[in-house]
Coordinates of all heavy atoms in Angstrom, one line a residue:
M1 N 51.2 -194.7 -80.7 CA 51.6 -193.8 -79.6 C 52.1 -192.5 -80.3 O 52.9 -192.6 -81.2 CB 52.7 -194.4 -78.8 CG 53.2 -193.4 -77.6 SD 54.2 -194.3 -76.4 CE 55.8 -193.7 -77.0
A2 N 51.7 -191.4 -79.8 CA 52.1 -190.0 -80.4 C 53.5 -189.8 -80.1 O 54.1 -190.1 -79.1 CB 51.3 -189.0 -79.8
V3 N 54.2 -189.2 -81.1 CA 55.6 -188.8 -81.0 C 55.7 -187.3 -81.2 O 55.3 -186.8 -82.3 CB 56.5 -189.5 -82.0 CG1 58.0 -189.1 -81.9 CG2 56.4 -191.0 -81.7
R4 N 56.3 -186.6 -80.2 CA 56.5 -185.2 -80.3 C 57.9 -184.8 -80.8 O 58.8 -185.4 -80.3 CB 56.1 -184.4 -79.0 CG 56.2 -182.9 -79.1 CD 55.7 -182.3 -77.9 NE 54.2 -182.6 -77.8 CZ 53.5 -182.3 -76.7 NH1 54.0 -181.6 -75.8 NH2 52.2 -182.6 -76.8
L5 N 57.9 -183.9 -81.8 CA 59.2 -183.5 -82.3 C 59.5 -182.1 -82.0 O 58.7 -181.2 -81.9 CB 59.2 -183.7 -83.9 CG 59.0 -185.0 -84.4 CD1 59.0 -185.0 -86.0 CD2 59.9 -186.1 -83.9
F6 N 60.8 -181.8 -81.8 CA 61.3 -180.4 -81.6 C 61.7 -179.9 -83.0 O 62.4 -180.7 -83.7 CB 62.5 -180.4 -80.6 CG 63.2 -179.1 -80.7 CD1 62.7 -178.1 -79.8 CD2 64.3 -178.9 -81.4 CE1 63.4 -176.9 -79.8 CE2 65.0 -177.7 -81.3 CZ 64.6 -176.7 -80.5
V7 N 61.3 -178.7 -83.4 CA 61.7 -178.1 -84.7 C 62.4 -176.8 -84.3 O 61.7 -175.8 -83.9 CB 60.4 -177.8 -85.5 CG1 60.8 -177.3 -86.9 CG2 59.7 -179.2 -85.7
G8 N 63.7 -176.8 -84.5 CA 64.4 -175.6 -84.1 C 64.9 -174.8 -85.4 O 64.8 -175.3 -86.5
N9 N 65.4 -173.6 -85.1 CA 66.0 -172.8 -86.1 C 64.8 -172.3 -87.1 O 65.1 -172.0 -88.2 CB 67.1 -173.3 -86.9 CG 67.9 -172.3 -87.6 OD1 68.1 -171.2 -87.1 ND2 68.4 -172.6 -88.7
L10 N 63.6 -172.2 -86.5 CA 62.5 -171.7 -87.4 C 62.6 -170.1 -87.5 O 63.0 -169.4 -86.6 CB 61.2 -171.8 -86.6 CG 60.5 -173.2 -86.7 CD1 59.3 -173.3 -85.8 CD2 60.1 -173.5 -88.2
P11 N 62.3 -169.7 -88.7 CA 62.1 -168.2 -88.9 C 61.1 -167.7 -87.9 O 60.1 -168.3 -87.7 CB 61.7 -168.0 -90.3 CG 61.9 -169.3 -91.0 CD 61.8 -170.4 -89.9
Y12 N 61.4 -166.5 -87.4 CA 60.5 -165.9 -86.4 C 59.1 -165.6 -86.9 O 58.1 -165.5 -86.2 CB 61.1 -164.7 -85.7 CG 62.3 -165.0 -84.9 CD1 63.6 -164.8 -85.4 CD2 62.2 -165.6 -83.6 CE1 64.7 -165.2 -84.6 CE2 63.3 -166.0 -82.9 CZ 64.5 -165.7 -83.4 OH 65.6 -166.1 -82.6
D13 N 59.0 -165.5 -88.3 CA 57.7 -165.1 -88.8 C 56.9 -166.5 -89.2 O 55.9 -166.4 -89.8 CB 57.8 -164.2 -90.0 CG 58.6 -164.8 -91.2 OD1 59.2 -165.9 -91.0 OD2 58.5 -164.2 -92.3
A14 N 57.4 -167.6 -88.9 CA 56.7 -168.8 -89.4 C 55.4 -169.0 -88.6 O 55.4 -168.8 -87.4 CB 57.6 -170.0 -89.2
S15 N 54.4 -169.3 -89.3 CA 53.1 -169.4 -88.7 C 52.8 -171.0 -88.4 O 53.4 -171.8 -89.1 CB 52.0 -168.8 -89.5 OG 51.8 -169.6 -90.7
E16 N 51.8 -171.2 -87.6 CA 51.4 -172.6 -87.2 C 50.8 -173.2 -88.6 O 51.2 -174.4 -88.9 CB 50.2 -172.6 -86.3 CG 49.7 -174.0 -85.9 CD 48.7 -174.0 -84.9 OE1 48.6 -173.2 -84.0 OE2 47.8 -174.9 -85.0
D17 N 50.1 -172.5 -89.4 CA 49.6 -173.1 -90.7 C 50.8 -173.4 -91.6 O 50.7 -174.4 -92.3 CB 48.7 -172.1 -91.4 CG 47.4 -171.9 -90.7 OD1 47.0 -172.8 -89.9 OD2 46.6 -170.9 -91.0
E18 N 51.8 -172.6 -91.7 CA 52.9 -172.9 -92.6 C 53.7 -174.1 -92.1 O 54.1 -175.0 -92.9 CB 53.9 -171.7 -92.6 CG 53.4 -170.5 -93.4 CD 54.3 -169.3 -93.3 OE1 54.8 -169.0 -92.1 OE2 54.4 -168.6 -94.2
I19 N 53.8 -174.3 -90.8 CA 54.6 -175.4 -90.2 C 53.7 -176.7 -90.5 O 54.2 -177.8 -90.9 CB 54.8 -175.2 -88.7 CG1 55.8 -174.1 -88.6 CG2 55.3 -176.5 -88.1 CD1 55.9 -173.6 -87.1
R20 N 52.4 -176.6 -90.2 CA 51.5 -177.7 -90.4 C 51.5 -178.1 -91.9 O 51.7 -179.3 -92.2 CB 50.1 -177.3 -90.0 CG 49.1 -178.5 -89.9 CD 47.8 -178.1 -89.4 NE 47.8 -177.7 -88.0 CZ 47.7 -178.6 -87.0 NH1 47.6 -179.9 -87.3 NH2 47.8 -178.2 -85.7
E21 N 51.5 -177.2 -92.8 CA 51.5 -177.5 -94.3 C 52.9 -178.2 -94.7 O 52.9 -179.1 -95.4 CB 51.3 -176.3 -95.0 CG 51.3 -176.5 -96.5 CD 51.0 -175.2 -97.3 OE1 50.4 -174.3 -96.9 OE2 51.5 -175.1 -98.4
H22 N 53.9 -177.7 -94.1 CA 55.3 -178.2 -94.4 C 55.4 -179.6 -94.0 O 56.0 -180.5 -94.8 CB 56.4 -177.3 -93.7 CG 57.7 -177.7 -94.1 ND1 58.2 -177.4 -95.4 CD2 58.8 -178.2 -93.4 CE1 59.6 -177.7 -95.5 NE2 59.8 -178.3 -94.2
F23 N 55.0 -179.9 -92.8 CA 55.2 -181.3 -92.3 C 54.0 -182.2 -92.7 O 54.2 -183.5 -92.6 CB 55.2 -181.3 -90.7 CG 56.6 -180.8 -90.2 CD1 56.9 -179.5 -90.1 CD2 57.5 -181.7 -89.9 CE1 58.1 -179.1 -89.6 CE2 58.8 -181.4 -89.4 CZ 59.1 -180.0 -89.3
S24 N 53.0 -181.7 -93.3 CA 51.9 -182.6 -93.7 C 52.2 -183.6 -94.8 O 51.5 -184.5 -95.1 CB 50.6 -181.8 -94.0 OG 50.9 -181.0 -95.2
S25 N 53.3 -183.3 -95.5 CA 53.7 -184.2 -96.6 C 54.1 -185.7 -96.1 O 54.0 -186.6 -96.9 CB 54.8 -183.6 -97.5 OG 56.1 -183.6 -96.7
V26 N 54.4 -185.8 -94.9 CA 54.7 -187.1 -94.3 C 53.5 -187.7 -93.5 O 53.7 -188.9 -93.1 CB 56.0 -187.1 -93.5 CG1 57.2 -186.8 -94.3 CG2 55.9 -186.3 -92.3
G27 N 52.6 -186.9 -93.2 CA 51.5 -187.4 -92.4 C 50.7 -186.2 -91.7 O 51.1 -185.1 -91.8
T28 N 49.7 -186.6 -91.0 CA 48.8 -185.6 -90.3 C 49.3 -185.3 -88.9 O 49.6 -186.2 -88.2 CB 47.4 -186.1 -90.2 OG1 46.9 -186.5 -91.5 CG2 46.5 -185.2 -89.5
L29 N 49.5 -184.0 -88.7 CA 50.0 -183.6 -87.4 C 48.8 -183.5 -86.5 O 47.7 -183.0 -86.8 CB 50.6 -182.2 -87.5 CG 51.9 -182.0 -88.3 CD1 52.3 -180.5 -88.5 CD2 53.0 -182.8 -87.6
S30 N 49.0 -184.0 -85.3 CA 48.0 -184.0 -84.2 C 48.1 -182.7 -83.4 O 47.2 -182.4 -82.6 CB 48.0 -185.3 -83.4 OG 49.2 -185.5 -82.8
Y31 N 49.3 -182.1 -83.4 CA 49.5 -181.0 -82.5 C 50.7 -180.2 -83.1 O 51.6 -180.6 -83.7 CB 50.0 -181.6 -81.2 CG 50.4 -180.7 -80.1 CD1 49.4 -180.1 -79.3 CD2 51.8 -180.5 -79.8 CE1 49.9 -179.3 -78.3 CE2 52.2 -179.6 -78.8 CZ 51.2 -179.1 -78.0 OH 51.6 -178.2 -77.0
V32 N 50.6 -178.8 -83.0 CA 51.6 -177.9 -83.4 C 51.6 -176.8 -82.2 O 50.5 -176.2 -81.9 CB 51.4 -177.1 -84.7 CG1 52.4 -176.1 -85.0 CG2 51.4 -178.1 -85.8
F33 N 52.8 -176.5 -81.7 CA 52.8 -175.5 -80.6 C 54.0 -174.6 -80.8 O 55.2 -175.2 -81.0 CB 53.0 -176.2 -79.2 CG 53.1 -175.2 -78.1 CD1 52.2 -174.3 -77.8 CD2 54.3 -175.2 -77.4 CE1 52.3 -173.4 -76.7 CE2 54.5 -174.3 -76.3 CZ 53.5 -173.4 -76.0
I34 N 53.9 -173.3 -80.9 CA 55.0 -172.4 -81.1 C 55.1 -171.5 -79.8 O 54.2 -170.7 -79.5 CB 54.7 -171.4 -82.3 CG1 54.5 -172.2 -83.5 CG2 55.9 -170.5 -82.4 CD1 54.1 -171.4 -84.8
P35 N 56.1 -171.8 -79.0 CA 56.2 -171.1 -77.7 C 56.6 -169.6 -77.9 O 57.2 -169.3 -78.9 CB 57.4 -171.8 -77.0 CG 57.6 -173.1 -77.7 CD 57.1 -172.9 -79.1
L36 N 56.0 -168.8 -77.0 CA 56.3 -167.4 -77.1 C 57.1 -167.0 -75.8 O 57.0 -167.6 -74.7 CB 55.0 -166.6 -77.0 CG 54.0 -166.9 -78.1 CD1 52.7 -166.1 -77.9 CD2 54.6 -166.5 -79.5
D37 N 58.0 -165.9 -76.0 CA 58.8 -165.4 -74.9 C 57.8 -164.8 -73.9 O 56.9 -164.1 -74.2 CB 59.7 -164.4 -75.4 CG 60.6 -163.9 -74.3 OD1 60.2 -162.9 -73.6 OD2 61.8 -164.3 -74.2
R38 N 58.0 -165.1 -72.6 CA 57.1 -164.6 -71.5 C 57.1 -163.1 -71.4 O 56.1 -162.5 -71.1 CB 57.5 -165.3 -70.2 CG 57.0 -166.6 -70.0 CD 57.3 -167.1 -68.6 NE 58.1 -168.3 -68.8 CZ 58.5 -169.1 -67.8 NH1 58.3 -168.6 -66.5 NH2 59.1 -170.1 -68.0
E39 N 58.2 -162.5 -71.6 CA 58.4 -161.1 -71.4 C 58.0 -160.3 -72.6 O 57.3 -159.2 -72.5 CB 59.8 -160.8 -71.0 CG 60.2 -161.3 -69.6 CD 61.6 -161.0 -69.2 OE1 62.2 -160.1 -69.9 OE2 62.1 -161.6 -68.4
T40 N 58.3 -160.8 -73.8 CA 58.1 -160.0 -75.0 C 56.8 -160.4 -75.8 O 56.3 -159.7 -76.6 CB 59.3 -160.0 -76.0 OG1 59.4 -161.4 -76.4 CG2 60.6 -159.6 -75.3
G41 N 56.4 -161.7 -75.6 CA 55.3 -162.2 -76.3 C 55.6 -162.6 -77.8 O 54.8 -163.0 -78.5
K42 N 56.9 -162.5 -78.1 CA 57.4 -162.9 -79.5 C 57.8 -164.3 -79.6 O 58.1 -164.9 -78.5 CB 58.6 -162.0 -79.8 CG 58.2 -160.6 -80.0 CD 59.4 -159.7 -80.4 CE 59.0 -158.3 -80.5 NZ 60.1 -157.4 -81.0
K43 N 57.7 -164.9 -80.8 CA 58.0 -166.3 -81.0 C 59.5 -166.4 -80.7 O 60.4 -165.5 -80.9 CB 57.8 -166.6 -82.4 CG 56.3 -166.6 -82.8 CD 56.1 -166.9 -84.2 CE 54.6 -166.8 -84.6 NZ 54.4 -166.9 -86.0
R44 N 59.9 -167.7 -80.3 CA 61.3 -167.9 -79.9 C 62.1 -168.7 -80.8 O 63.3 -169.0 -80.6 CB 61.2 -168.8 -78.5 CG 60.5 -168.0 -77.4 CD 60.2 -168.8 -76.2 NE 61.5 -169.2 -75.6 CZ 61.6 -170.1 -74.7 NH1 60.5 -170.7 -74.3 NH2 62.8 -170.4 -74.2
G45 N 61.6 -168.9 -82.1 CA 62.4 -169.6 -83.1 C 62.3 -171.1 -83.1 O 63.2 -171.7 -83.8
F46 N 61.4 -171.6 -82.3 CA 61.3 -173.1 -82.4 C 59.9 -173.5 -82.2 O 59.0 -172.7 -81.8 CB 62.2 -173.8 -81.4 CG 61.9 -173.5 -79.9 CD1 61.1 -174.3 -79.2 CD2 62.5 -172.4 -79.2 CE1 60.8 -174.1 -77.9 CE2 62.3 -172.2 -77.9 CZ 61.4 -173.0 -77.2
A47 N 59.6 -174.7 -82.4 CA 58.1 -175.2 -82.2 C 58.2 -176.7 -81.9 O 59.3 -177.3 -81.9 CB 57.3 -175.0 -83.5
F48 N 57.0 -177.2 -81.4 CA 56.9 -178.7 -81.2 C 55.7 -179.0 -82.1 O 54.7 -178.4 -82.3 CB 56.5 -178.9 -79.8 CG 57.6 -178.5 -78.8 CD1 57.6 -177.4 -78.2 CD2 58.6 -179.4 -78.6 CE1 58.6 -177.0 -77.3 CE2 59.7 -179.1 -77.8 CZ 59.7 -177.9 -77.1
V49 N 56.0 -180.2 -82.9 CA 54.9 -180.8 -83.6 C 54.8 -182.2 -83.2 O 55.7 -182.8 -82.8 CB 55.3 -180.7 -85.2 CG1 55.4 -179.3 -85.7 CG2 56.5 -181.6 -85.5
E50 N 53.6 -182.7 -83.4 CA 53.3 -184.1 -82.9 C 52.6 -184.9 -84.0 O 51.6 -184.4 -84.6 CB 52.5 -184.0 -81.7 CG 52.2 -185.4 -81.0 CD 51.6 -185.3 -79.6 OE1 52.2 -184.9 -78.6 OE2 50.3 -185.4 -79.6
F51 N 53.1 -186.1 -84.2 CA 52.4 -187.1 -85.1 C 51.9 -188.2 -84.2 O 52.5 -188.6 -83.3 CB 53.5 -187.7 -86.0 CG 54.0 -186.7 -87.1 CD1 55.1 -185.9 -86.9 CD2 53.3 -186.6 -88.3 CE1 55.6 -185.1 -87.9 CE2 53.8 -185.8 -89.3 CZ 54.9 -185.0 -89.1
S52 N 50.7 -188.7 -84.6 CA 50.1 -189.8 -83.9 C 50.8 -191.1 -84.3 O 50.7 -192.1 -83.5 CB 48.6 -189.8 -84.0 OG 48.3 -189.9 -85.4
D53 N 51.5 -191.1 -85.4 CA 52.2 -192.3 -85.9 C 53.6 -192.2 -85.8 O 54.3 -191.2 -86.3 CB 51.7 -192.5 -87.4 CG 52.3 -193.8 -87.9 OD1 51.7 -194.9 -87.7 OD2 53.4 -193.7 -88.5
A54 N 54.3 -193.1 -85.1 CA 55.7 -193.0 -84.8 C 56.5 -193.1 -86.1 O 57.6 -192.4 -86.3 CB 56.2 -194.1 -83.9
Q55 N 56.1 -193.9 -87.1 CA 56.8 -193.9 -88.4 C 56.8 -192.7 -89.1 O 57.8 -192.3 -89.7 CB 56.2 -195.1 -89.3 CG 56.6 -196.5 -88.7 CD 56.0 -197.6 -89.6 OE1 54.9 -197.5 -90.1 NE2 56.7 -198.6 -89.7
Q56 N 55.7 -192.0 -89.1 CA 55.6 -190.7 -89.7 C 56.5 -189.6 -89.1 O 57.1 -188.9 -89.7 CB 54.1 -190.1 -89.7 CG 53.2 -190.9 -90.5 CD 51.8 -190.5 -90.5 OE1 51.4 -189.7 -89.5 NE2 50.9 -190.9 -91.3
A57 N 56.6 -189.7 -87.7 CA 57.5 -188.8 -87.1 C 58.9 -189.1 -87.4 O 59.7 -188.2 -87.7 CB 57.3 -189.0 -85.5
Q58 N 59.3 -190.4 -87.5 CA 60.7 -190.7 -87.9 C 61.0 -190.2 -89.3 O 62.0 -189.8 -89.7 CB 60.9 -192.2 -87.8 CG 61.0 -192.6 -86.3 CD 62.0 -191.8 -85.5 OE1 63.2 -191.7 -85.9 NE2 61.6 -191.4 -84.4
E59 N 60.0 -190.4 -90.2 CA 60.1 -189.9 -91.6 C 60.3 -188.4 -91.7 O 61.0 -187.9 -92.5 CB 58.9 -190.3 -92.5 CG 59.0 -190.0 -93.9 CD 60.2 -190.6 -94.7 OE1 60.8 -191.5 -94.2 OE2 60.5 -190.1 -95.7
A60 N 59.5 -187.6 -90.8 CA 59.7 -186.2 -90.7 C 61.1 -185.8 -90.3 O 61.6 -184.9 -90.9 CB 58.7 -185.6 -89.8
I61 N 61.7 -186.5 -89.3 CA 63.0 -186.2 -89.0 C 64.0 -186.5 -90.1 O 64.8 -185.7 -90.5 CB 63.5 -187.1 -87.8 CG1 62.7 -186.7 -86.5 CG2 65.0 -187.0 -87.5 CD1 62.9 -187.6 -85.3
R62 N 63.8 -187.6 -90.8 CA 64.6 -188.0 -91.9 C 64.6 -187.0 -93.1 O 65.5 -186.5 -93.6 CB 64.3 -189.4 -92.5 CG 65.3 -190.0 -93.5 CD 64.8 -191.3 -94.1 NE 63.7 -191.0 -95.0 CZ 63.8 -190.6 -96.2 NH1 65.0 -190.1 -96.6 NH2 62.7 -190.4 -97.0
Q63 N 63.3 -186.5 -93.4 CA 63.2 -185.6 -94.5 C 63.5 -184.2 -94.2 O 63.9 -183.5 -95.1 CB 61.7 -185.7 -95.0 CG 61.4 -186.8 -95.9 CD 60.0 -186.6 -96.6 OE1 59.6 -185.5 -96.8 NE2 59.3 -187.8 -96.8
F64 N 63.2 -183.7 -93.0 CA 63.3 -182.3 -92.7 C 64.5 -181.8 -92.0 O 64.8 -180.6 -91.9 CB 62.0 -181.8 -92.2 CG 60.8 -182.0 -93.0 CD1 59.7 -182.8 -92.5 CD2 60.7 -181.6 -94.3 CE1 58.6 -183.1 -93.3 CE2 59.6 -181.9 -95.1 CZ 58.5 -182.6 -94.5
N65 N 65.2 -182.7 -91.2 CA 66.3 -182.2 -90.4 C 67.5 -181.7 -91.4 O 67.7 -182.3 -92.3 CB 66.9 -183.4 -89.5 CG 67.9 -182.9 -88.6 OD1 67.8 -181.8 -87.9 ND2 69.0 -183.6 -88.5
N66 N 67.9 -180.6 -91.1 CA 69.0 -179.9 -91.9 C 68.5 -179.5 -93.3 O 69.4 -179.2 -94.1 CB 70.3 -180.7 -91.9 CG 70.9 -180.8 -90.6 OD1 71.1 -179.8 -89.9 ND2 71.4 -182.0 -90.3
Q67 N 67.2 -179.4 -93.5 CA 66.7 -179.0 -94.8 C 66.1 -177.6 -94.6 O 65.6 -177.2 -93.6 CB 65.6 -180.0 -95.2 CG 66.2 -181.4 -95.5 CD 67.3 -181.4 -96.5 OE1 67.2 -180.8 -97.6 NE2 68.4 -181.9 -96.2
P68 N 66.1 -176.8 -95.8 CA 65.6 -175.4 -95.7 C 64.1 -175.3 -95.6 O 63.3 -176.1 -96.1 CB 66.1 -174.9 -97.0 CG 66.3 -176.0 -97.9 CD 66.6 -177.1 -97.1
F69 N 63.7 -174.3 -94.8 CA 62.3 -173.9 -94.6 C 62.4 -172.4 -94.5 O 62.9 -171.9 -93.6 CB 61.7 -174.5 -93.4 CG 60.3 -174.1 -93.0 CD1 59.3 -174.5 -93.8 CD2 60.1 -173.2 -91.9 CE1 57.9 -174.0 -93.5 CE2 58.9 -172.7 -91.7 CZ 57.8 -173.1 -92.4
K70 N 61.8 -171.7 -95.5 CA 61.8 -170.3 -95.5 C 63.2 -169.7 -95.3 O 63.4 -168.7 -94.6 CB 60.8 -169.7 -94.4 CG 59.4 -170.1 -94.7 CD 58.4 -169.5 -93.6 CE 58.3 -168.0 -94.0 NZ 57.3 -167.3 -93.1
G71 N 64.2 -170.3 -96.0 CA 65.5 -169.8 -96.0 C 66.3 -170.2 -94.9 O 67.5 -169.8 -94.8
R72 N 65.9 -171.1 -93.9 CA 66.7 -171.5 -92.7 C 66.7 -173.0 -92.7 O 65.7 -173.7 -92.9 CB 66.1 -170.9 -91.5 CG 66.2 -169.4 -91.5 CD 65.7 -168.8 -90.2 NE 66.8 -169.0 -89.2 CZ 66.8 -168.4 -88.1 NH1 65.8 -167.5 -87.8 NH2 67.8 -168.6 -87.2
A73 N 67.9 -173.6 -92.4 CA 68.0 -175.1 -92.2 C 67.4 -175.4 -90.9 O 67.8 -174.9 -89.8 CB 69.4 -175.5 -92.3
L74 N 66.3 -176.3 -90.9 CA 65.7 -176.7 -89.7 C 66.5 -177.7 -88.9 O 67.2 -178.5 -89.5 CB 64.3 -177.3 -90.0 CG 63.2 -176.4 -90.6 CD1 62.0 -177.3 -91.0 CD2 63.0 -175.3 -89.7
A75 N 66.3 -177.7 -87.6 CA 66.8 -178.7 -86.7 C 65.6 -179.6 -86.2 O 64.8 -179.0 -85.5 CB 67.6 -178.2 -85.5
V76 N 65.4 -180.8 -86.7 CA 64.3 -181.6 -86.3 C 64.7 -182.9 -85.6 O 65.5 -183.6 -86.2 CB 63.4 -182.0 -87.5 CG1 62.2 -182.7 -87.3 CG2 63.1 -180.7 -88.4
N77 N 64.3 -183.1 -84.4 CA 64.6 -184.2 -83.7 C 63.5 -184.6 -82.7 O 62.6 -183.7 -82.5 CB 66.0 -184.2 -83.0 CG 66.2 -182.9 -82.2 OD1 65.3 -182.6 -81.3 ND2 67.1 -182.1 -82.5
E78 N 63.6 -185.7 -82.1 CA 62.6 -186.1 -81.1 C 62.7 -185.2 -79.9 O 63.8 -185.0 -79.4 CB 62.7 -187.5 -80.7 CG 61.4 -188.2 -80.2 CD 61.4 -189.6 -80.3 OE1 62.0 -190.3 -81.1 OE2 60.8 -190.3 -79.3
A79 N 61.6 -184.7 -79.4 CA 61.6 -183.8 -78.2 C 61.9 -184.7 -77.0 O 61.5 -185.8 -76.9 CB 60.2 -183.1 -78.2
R80 N 62.6 -184.0 -76.1 CA 62.9 -184.6 -74.9 C 62.2 -183.9 -73.7 O 62.1 -182.6 -73.8 CB 64.4 -184.6 -74.6 CG 65.2 -185.4 -75.5 CD 66.6 -185.4 -75.2 NE 67.2 -184.0 -75.4 CZ 68.1 -183.8 -76.3 NH1 68.6 -184.7 -77.1 NH2 68.6 -182.5 -76.4
A81 N 61.8 -184.5 -72.7 CA 61.2 -183.9 -71.6 C 62.1 -183.1 -70.8 O 63.4 -183.4 -70.8 CB 60.6 -185.0 -70.7
R82 N 61.7 -181.9 -70.3 CA 62.6 -181.1 -69.5 C 63.1 -181.9 -68.2 O 62.3 -182.7 -67.7 CB 61.8 -179.9 -69.0 CG 61.8 -178.8 -69.9 CD 61.2 -177.6 -69.2 NE 61.2 -176.4 -70.1 CZ 60.6 -175.3 -69.7 NH1 60.0 -175.1 -68.6 NH2 60.6 -174.3 -70.6
D83 N 64.3 -181.7 -67.9 CA 64.8 -182.3 -66.8 C 64.5 -181.5 -65.5 O 65.1 -180.5 -65.2 CB 66.4 -182.4 -67.0 CG 67.1 -183.2 -65.8 OD1 66.3 -183.7 -64.9 OD2 68.2 -183.4 -65.8
A84 N 63.5 -181.9 -64.8 CA 63.0 -181.3 -63.6 C 64.0 -181.4 -62.5 O 63.9 -180.5 -61.5 CB 61.7 -181.8 -63.2
S85 N 65.0 -182.3 -62.5 CA 65.9 -182.5 -61.4 C 67.2 -181.6 -61.6 O 68.1 -181.7 -60.8 CB 66.3 -183.9 -61.3 OG 67.0 -184.3 -62.5
A86 N 67.2 -180.8 -62.7 CA 68.4 -180.0 -63.0 C 68.6 -179.0 -61.8 O 67.7 -178.3 -61.4 CB 68.3 -179.3 -64.3
P87 N 69.8 -178.8 -61.3 CA 70.0 -177.9 -60.2 C 69.7 -176.5 -60.6 O 70.1 -176.1 -61.7 CB 71.5 -178.1 -59.8 CG 72.1 -178.8 -61.1 CD 71.0 -179.5 -61.8
R88 N 69.2 -175.7 -59.8 CA 68.9 -174.3 -60.0 C 69.7 -173.5 -58.9 O 69.8 -174.0 -57.7 CB 67.5 -174.0 -59.9 CG 66.7 -174.7 -61.1 CD 65.4 -174.1 -61.2 NE 64.9 -174.7 -62.5 CZ 63.8 -174.2 -63.1 NH1 63.2 -173.2 -62.7 NH2 63.4 -174.8 -64.2
P89 N 70.1 -172.3 -59.2 CA 70.8 -171.6 -58.2 C 69.8 -171.2 -57.0 O 68.6 -171.0 -57.2 CB 71.2 -170.3 -58.9 CG 70.7 -170.3 -60.3 CD 70.0 -171.7 -60.5
P90 N 70.3 -171.1 -55.8 CA 69.5 -170.7 -54.7 C 68.7 -169.4 -54.9 O 69.3 -168.4 -55.5 CB 70.4 -170.5 -53.5 CG 71.7 -171.1 -53.9 CD 71.7 -171.2 -55.4
G91 N 67.5 -169.3 -54.7 CA 66.7 -168.1 -54.9 C 66.3 -167.9 -56.4 O 65.8 -166.8 -56.8
G92 N 66.5 -168.9 -57.2 CA 66.1 -168.7 -58.7 C 67.2 -168.1 -59.5 O 68.4 -168.4 -59.2
F93 N 66.8 -167.4 -60.5 CA 67.8 -166.8 -61.3 C 68.0 -165.3 -61.2 O 68.2 -164.6 -62.1 CB 67.4 -167.1 -62.8 CG 67.5 -168.6 -63.1 CD1 66.4 -169.4 -63.1 CD2 68.7 -169.1 -63.5 CE1 66.5 -170.7 -63.3 CE2 68.8 -170.5 -63.7 CZ 67.7 -171.3 -63.7
R94 N 67.8 -164.8 -60.0 CA 68.0 -163.3 -59.8 C 69.4 -162.9 -59.9 O 70.3 -163.7 -59.5 CB 67.4 -163.0 -58.4 CG 65.9 -163.1 -58.3 CD 65.4 -162.7 -56.9 NE 66.0 -163.7 -56.0 CZ 66.6 -163.3 -54.8 NH1 66.6 -162.1 -54.4 NH2 67.0 -164.2 -54.0
S95 N 69.7 -161.7 -60.3 CA 71.0 -161.1 -60.2 C 71.3 -160.9 -58.7 O 70.5 -160.5 -57.9 CB 71.1 -159.9 -60.9 OG 70.8 -160.1 -62.3
P96 N 72.6 -161.0 -58.4 CA 73.0 -160.7 -57.0 C 72.8 -159.2 -56.7 O 73.0 -158.4 -57.6 CB 74.5 -161.1 -56.9 CG 75.0 -161.5 -58.3 CD 73.7 -161.5 -59.2
S97 N 72.6 -158.9 -55.5 CA 72.4 -157.5 -55.1 C 73.7 -156.8 -55.1 O 74.8 -157.5 -55.1 CB 71.8 -157.5 -53.7 OG 72.7 -158.1 -52.8
P98 N 73.7 -155.5 -55.3 CA 75.0 -154.8 -55.4 C 76.0 -155.0 -54.3 O 77.2 -155.0 -54.4 CB 74.6 -153.3 -55.4 CG 73.1 -153.3 -55.9 CD 72.6 -154.6 -55.4
G99 N 75.4 -155.3 -53.0 CA 76.3 -155.4 -52.0 C 76.7 -156.9 -51.8 O 77.3 -157.3 -50.7
G100 N 76.5 -157.8 -52.7 CA 76.8 -159.2 -52.6 C 75.6 -160.0 -52.0 O 74.5 -159.4 -52.0
F101 N 75.9 -161.1 -51.5 CA 74.8 -161.9 -51.0 C 74.5 -161.7 -49.6 O 75.0 -161.7 -48.7 CB 75.1 -163.5 -51.2 CG 75.0 -163.8 -52.6 CD1 76.0 -163.9 -53.5 CD2 73.7 -164.1 -53.2 CE1 76.0 -164.3 -54.7 CE2 73.6 -164.4 -54.5 CZ 74.8 -164.7 -55.3

């Protein structure tokens, strides 16, 4: 079963190829995704990587969590699904109007 990892504290200039190469020492990555900011289109400083083998994913966490990559200590852990049930403010995340609600 595939295991997806969250890789945080990435340098903003890190490329998919660099991430793939860095993590390939523990196994073959089946997936690499670097999210972009919707408004600016710039990288957000984190990525998701996926190993098809759970043991390789655990080894990647063991080897790379809190270890330097391009001058920054990575945060590597198992990715968690977004909590779709988290409460959101009424009307989304808009700023209140100047006159109040």
Side-chain angles (χ1 to χ4, degrees):
M1 183 170 97
V3 178
R4 186 167 294 175
L5 303 179
F6 170 83
V7 181
N9 201 34
L10 276 173
Y12 292 102
D13 66 346
S15 71
E16 180 179 329
D17 288 340
E18 289 172 321
I19 295 166
R20 191 174 291 277
E21 182 179 328
H22 186 70
F23 281 85
S24 68
S25 66
V26 296
T28 303
L29 293 172
S30 56
Y31 176 82
V32 176
F33 176 65
I34 304 172
L36 301 177
D37 183 275
R38 281 184 235 181
E39 293 178 17
T40 65
K42 294 182 180 180
K43 294 176 184 172
R44 299 173 61 193
F46 65 92
F48 295 97
V49 299
E50 187 175 277
F51 289 91
S52 55
D53 182 86
Q55 287 181 322
Q56 291 176 351
Q58 290 306 312
E59 182 61 18
I61 292 170
R62 190 187 73 72
Q63 277 192 34
F64 300 124
N65 188 44
N66 292 319
Q67 296 303 307
F69 173 74
K70 296 183 72 172
R72 298 184 75 164
L74 295 179
V76 182
N77 51 56
E78 204 163 325
R80 294 183 292 246
R82 275 190 178 172
D83 185 1
S85 64
R88 296 197 172 196
F93 291 99
R94 294 180 294 134
S95 298
S97 62
F101 286 100

